[in-house]
Amino acid sequence: MRYELIIYWSKEDQAFLVEVPGLPGCMADGATYEEAVANAQTVIAEWIETSISLNRSIPEPKGKLTYA
């Protein structure tokens, strides 16, 4: 997967959270950094599968996030 991942520790959740800014609403978590990234890869695949089944467009990976 070539989508950008934003990974951070959530003290409130006591877990690593992963946001996938290129896929709206796509997020994952995990007790460890590695688990969070693995979960994100699974969620990305599911996000894409769901979009295909609903005949929705899938954004192309953009790489590095650009701030305006």
Side-chain angles (χ1 to χ4, degrees), residues 8-67:
Y8 56 93
W9 174 255
S10 170
K11 187 174 180 179
E12 179 180 339
D13 297 310
Q14 290 295 296
F16 286 93
L17 302 182
V18 182
E19 295 180 21
V20 186
L23 303 175
C26 189
M27 294 184 72
D29 66 357
T32 66
Y33 184 94
E34 293 79 8
E35 181 182 330
V37 171
N39 290 343
Q41 291 172 338
T42 300
V43 171
I44 289 169
E46 291 171 353
W47 194 102
I48 291 170
E49 287 175 22
T50 300
S51 291
I52 290 170
S53 71
L54 296 173
N55 202 29
R56 294 184 179 164
S57 63
I58 300 166
E60 289 292 321
K62 294 183 180 177
K64 186 176 180 181
L65 182 63
T66 304
Y67 293 94

